[in-house]
Amino acid sequence: MVIKNIYRRFIVITLFIVLFLFNSIVVGAFKELVFDEAGLFSSEERVSLETEANDLSEAYNMDIVITTTNDTGGKSSMEYADDYFDYNGFGQGPDYDGILFLIDMDNREAFISTSGLGIRYLTDQRIEGVLDEVFDSGLGDGDYYGASQGFLRKTRQYLEAGIPSNQYSADEKEPNRITIFDMLIGLVGGTATGGIFYGSTKSSYKLRNPGNPFSYRNNSIVNVVPGEDRLIDSIVTHRIIPRPPKGGGSSGGGRSTTHRSSSGRTHGGGGRKF
Amino acid sequence: MGTTSYKCPSCGAGIHFKPELKKFKCDYCLSEYSEEEIANLYKDDEKSEDTHSTQEEVLHKHDVDEAHLQSYTCNSCGAQVVTDDTTTATFCYYCHNPVILSGRLEGEFKPKKMIPFAIDKEKAKSSFLKWAGNKKFVPKDFTSSSQLEKITGVYLPYWWVDTKAQVDYLGEGKNIRVWRTGDMEYTETKKYEIVRQGELDLNNVGEVAFTKIDKSLLNGILPYRESETVDFSMPYLSGFFAEQYDITKEEAEPMIEGQINRYYTYMINDLVSGYDKVDVIRDGIEIKDKEWNYTLLPAWILTYKYQGKTYVFAVNGQTGKSYGELPLSNKRLGSAFGIIFAATFLLLLLGGILIW
């Protein structure tokens, strides 16, 4: 009886463990990637988006997240999207590869935040391309499901196309505050320009020897026989002009502008009001 | 040594040369005379006056010799005229009549040429103000009229030299032409023999012959219009100051020589033109003739004392060109510095906020 009891317990525990493991595997394979906090999607739409986002995430090993909100808590769309991505633990690998699509009903803005490899895939130009697709798919008309589908469709297309060969990342300039260094530059620059003015004015008031501006042309008589100059020699030489090697190239279109989010991580991205 | 005062033939008052009229005009009876008329009038008198003043010289000269000043007697009022040892024309301290120390304008000190004053005091003042007015940082009272009243017209001594030179020049000129045909570049070099023979005259090469005024100051108001030079005539000095040279011909010669050689080189260069490159084989300049002319040139001189330093200015008595070292008001320049400093500082701070 006791042994039977122990046996049963063992089975229950094993079952629990198996269930738990299985469950975790399921969760690992099917991650929640759509967060409809503004309630813009029906449950069928949500499932459909979730499936597609998961499919894309698995194929490219990055988190493709779709989120909506009615209240950003005073944040801009960019801050909200970046923070949502960072603080909810999205991003795969050491660089937190991923792309987040935010429909911000508070600021009425669609925003794409990229991270890690996502920054490299979605250059500034491509983000504009995705946003074009999102707006063409009916964001302005309230078709949020269509817009999200548009996002996934265009993103997939770009991911399939790979990272553009001329892609590069450039940090967006942060707004600055006056630092002691700025003060120092100001002081040095002010003293320098003021000093140059002071010095040059002072020296221009000084007496300089102007030389003797005598005009010999007005005070001379020239009586010289004008003679024909005789040609005594004429030589022609030649050489082959070396051709300069062709070189150079063009750049442009490959820029990914990045900025730093509140967590200190680097994001790319861009948005558009609707 | 004698003195001469030119007096109005009509009323006997002292008469001045008026640059704006180019004539002599009596301030009392308003009679006008040309330089020629006055000079002719005094031609006969000169001899008798000379003998007269030789006696005066004997009487007066010995007692002031120690002070290195010489005294002359004003022929209008009889007062003593005390002057510097180089002054040749001045005014009597007592009767303010122009006095010309004609004894100092004789022999080796007789000028040969001169340019008479062409602009009067008023015009000299206005051209000086125009020049100084461009400068913003002079002391406030600098351009005031009471300051400018002290401007004086002075004839200053110069050495002018006229030369003639024989030229026998030989040079080689090169013209280089480059053109392209396809991948080939051709260079054609043509050589020419250049021969220049003849005579070059160079006149009025000058040097200041006076040490009491800074040479670079006087060079600053050059050039004069040499074409308006006239033979020296003493009446022109009436109403102005005049100075005698204190740099001799011999002392000025090396500087004049240097100038002459330089200008001849320029003149030859002017004769040879149209070549990319010229090699001189023989420049063959032979200076044949040198004529020295002791010349008096007109200048308005102004001195100004500011913070213990004396500033001297000159205005060309013929052209009005002004020159001199200007006093600098530290207060005015200092505030300009402050404004520029503040503006740059703010600009850089703004840059700090918005740009970098």
Side-chain angles (χ1 to χ4, degrees):
Chain A
M1 195 66 189
V2 175
I3 295 165
K4 205 180 173 182
N5 221 351
I6 290 168
Y7 186 70
R8 257 175 62 188
R9 272 187 190 173
F10 179 76
I11 287 171
V12 169
I13 289 165
T14 314
L15 205 71
F16 263 101
I17 290 167
V18 167
L19 266 171
F20 184 76
L21 277 177
F22 179 73
N23 193 40
S24 70
I25 289 164
V26 167
V27 168
F30 197 86
K31 200 172 172 180
E32 196 182 1
L33 292 170
V34 177
F35 302 87
D36 187 15
E37 287 170 16
L40 302 175
F41 309 132
S42 68
S43 53
E44 293 87 47
E45 286 169 349
R46 211 183 78 86
V47 169
S48 155
L49 290 171
E50 191 86 73
T51 314
E52 211 175 323
N54 267 282
D55 186 33
L56 204 58
S57 297
E58 263 172 70
Y60 291 95
N61 283 319
M62 56 170 80
D63 289 340
I64 310 295
V65 186
I66 294 170
T67 181
T68 66
T69 185
N70 273 328
D71 180 18
T72 60
K75 290 179 190 174
S76 72
S77 297
M78 183 173 90
E79 285 165 351
Y80 184 86
D82 291 349
D83 290 349
Y84 201 91
F85 189 90
D86 292 347
Y87 294 119
N88 290 305
F90 292 114
Q92 294 187 17
D95 294 332
Y96 305 100
D97 305 331
I99 299 164
L100 181 140
F101 176 59
L102 167 73
I103 298 175
D104 177 358
M105 298 308 287
D106 192 5
N107 294 313
R108 291 203 69 80
E109 186 174 5
F111 197 90
I112 292 163
S113 173
T114 59
S115 172
L117 262 183
I119 296 171
R120 303 198 59 204
Y121 274 106
L122 290 193
T123 61
D124 292 357
Q125 216 174 21
R126 284 180 167 188
I127 284 171
E128 288 307 309
V130 174
L131 288 169
D132 284 346
E133 182 76 16
V134 165
F135 278 78
D136 288 347
S137 307
L139 183 67
D141 308 328
D143 182 3
Y144 304 110
Y145 173 63
S148 304
Q149 271 186 321
F151 160 73
L152 290 168
R153 190 163 56 243
K154 199 67 183 178
T155 303
R156 178 184 290 277
Q157 206 177 314
Y158 283 135
L159 290 175
E160 277 165 5
I163 297 167
S165 59
N166 61 355
Q167 187 276 338
Y168 67 98
S169 294
D171 223 338
E172 199 176 275
K173 286 213 163 163
E174 278 182 52
N176 254 338
R177 259 151 260 104
I178 295 178
T179 60
I180 291 170
F181 190 63
D182 290 331
M183 293 283 262
L184 222 67
I185 288 176
L187 279 173
V188 170
T191 315
T193 49
I196 287 166
F197 174 78
Y198 189 92
S200 66
T201 311
K202 198 152 188 164
S203 77
S204 78
Y205 276 54
K206 282 260 182 305
L207 195 65
R208 263 159 302 165
N209 193 340
N212 191 339
F214 176 70
S215 165
Y216 66 93
R217 286 196 179 94
N218 292 342
N219 289 287
S220 59
I221 301 160
V222 178
N223 191 5
V224 171
V225 189
E228 186 92 354
D229 296 338
R230 199 161 57 86
L231 179 67
I232 50 175
D233 201 3
S234 179
I235 314 158
V236 177
T237 57
H238 63 266
R239 67 177 185 107
I240 294 163
I241 304 160
R243 280 181 186 282
K246 276 191 180 174
S250 59
S251 63
R255 179 186 165 105
S256 298
T257 310
T258 60
H259 55 265
R260 225 160 267 279
S261 68
S262 67
S263 69
R265 273 159 43 183
T266 303
H267 285 271
R272 200 180 287 175
K273 299 263 186 196
F274 58 89
Chain B
M1 288 196 201
T3 59
T4 304
S5 290
Y6 291 95
K7 287 178 183 139
C8 174
S10 313
C11 67
I15 200 163
H16 301 223
F17 178 68
K18 306 279 177 189
E20 71 273 30
L21 298 170
K22 295 200 162 109
K23 273 187 169 179
F24 289 81
K25 188 174 181 182
C26 175
D27 289 331
Y28 298 94
C29 67
L30 307 177
S31 314
E32 287 181 23
Y33 301 95
S34 71
E35 179 266 327
E36 215 174 313
E37 287 170 312
I38 297 286
N40 284 334
L41 213 64
Y42 277 82
K43 222 176 221 169
D44 314 326
D45 290 3
E46 256 169 32
K47 278 193 181 107
S48 60
E49 281 219 21
D50 273 353
T51 46
H52 169 67
S53 39
T54 325
Q55 292 160 1
E56 271 186 305
E57 182 199 3
V58 178
L59 285 171
H60 296 289
K61 204 182 170 184
H62 67 278
D63 52 13
V64 279
D65 250 1
E66 286 143 296
H68 202 66
L69 292 171
Q70 292 183 319
S71 88
Y72 295 86
T73 311
C74 170
N75 8 12
S76 302
C77 67
Q80 276 198 353
V81 179
V82 180
T83 68
D84 221 350
D85 58 357
T86 53
T87 305
T88 55
T90 183
F91 296 85
C92 174
Y93 279 129
Y94 300 96
C95 66
H96 298 284
N97 273 317
V99 179
I100 297 164
L101 312 177
S102 41
R104 287 182 179 174
L105 294 163
E106 280 163 8
E108 57 169 336
F109 287 111
K110 184 173 169 27
K112 219 167 177 180
K113 290 182 170 184
M114 70 185 302
I115 293 175
F117 269 93
I119 63 169
D120 60 12
K121 198 175 193 169
E122 289 309 312
K123 225 163 161 199
K125 278 198 266 185
S126 69
S127 38
F128 176 75
L129 279 179
K130 216 165 125 191
W131 171 73
N134 291 331
K135 309 282 184 179
K136 299 283 179 287
F137 302 108
V138 295
K140 249 185 184 164
D141 70 326
F142 177 63
T143 49
S144 72
S145 57
S146 66
Q147 186 58 43
L148 288 170
E149 270 314 308
K150 295 169 193 157
I151 196 164
T152 49
V154 188
Y155 281 104
L156 294 171
Y158 284 77
W159 286 113
W160 275 12
V161 174
D162 294 349
T163 64
K164 275 190 201 312
Q166 200 69 41
V167 177
D168 182 12
Y169 170 93
L170 181 64
E172 188 182 77
K174 273 184 196 162
N175 269 346
I176 294 157
R177 195 164 63 96
V178 180
W179 73 93
R180 288 177 178 199
T181 312
D183 278 353
M184 270 315 182
E185 188 186 81
Y186 296 89
T187 309
E188 181 197 62
T189 311
K190 280 188 168 172
K191 288 183 186 171
Y192 294 87
E193 182 191 67
I194 309 161
V195 178
R196 296 285 183 274
Q197 284 171 331
E199 204 179 72
L200 295 176
D201 289 8
L202 181 61
N203 298 324
N204 310 329
V205 178
E207 277 293 333
V208 181
F210 194 56
T211 52
K212 289 177 188 169
I213 296 178
D214 187 42
K215 187 176 163 181
S216 41
L217 172 68
L218 293 177
N219 278 345
I221 60 166
L222 292 178
Y224 286 87
R225 293 188 297 270
E226 293 90 350
S227 57
E228 289 167 24
T229 309
V230 299
D231 287 338
F232 173 72
S233 171
M234 209 157 57
Y236 281 127
L237 305 188
S238 185
F240 298 99
F241 289 89
E243 296 287 338
Q244 208 177 38
Y245 69 79
D246 61 1
I247 293 174
T248 63
K249 215 185 276 190
E250 288 70 30
E251 285 171 310
E253 186 148 24
M255 286 179 287
I256 297 254
E257 200 72 32
Q259 282 200 56
I260 289 172
N261 290 337
R262 202 164 68 238
Y263 296 134
Y264 273 129
T265 313
Y266 294 160
M267 285 165 79
I268 299 247
N269 286 344
D270 287 355
L271 289 175
V272 178
S273 60
Y275 294 102
D276 298 330
K277 190 171 173 282
V278 175
D279 293 323
V280 180
I281 296 166
R282 177 186 73 221
D283 73 358
I285 298 169
E286 197 192 324
I287 298 166
K288 283 165 65 185
D289 203 11
K290 248 189 253 173
E291 195 193 337
W292 290 76
N293 295 313
Y294 173 26
T295 307
L296 294 182
L297 299 178
W300 291 97
I301 305 287
L302 176 70
T303 56
Y304 175 70
K305 252 199 177 146
Y306 179 67
Q307 291 180 346
K309 195 182 163 188
T310 306
Y311 294 85
V312 186
F313 305 94
V315 179
N316 188 312
Q318 184 188 33
T319 63
K321 188 178 171 191
S322 306
Y323 198 64
E325 177 177 347
L326 286 163
L328 200 57
S329 162
N330 279 325
K331 210 172 100 192
R332 284 190 178 186
L333 185 58
S335 50
F337 169 82
I339 290 164
I340 289 173
F341 172 82
T344 318
F345 180 67
L346 288 176
L347 213 71
L348 284 171
L349 276 193
L350 215 67
I353 299 163
L354 301 174
I355 305 163
W356 56 85

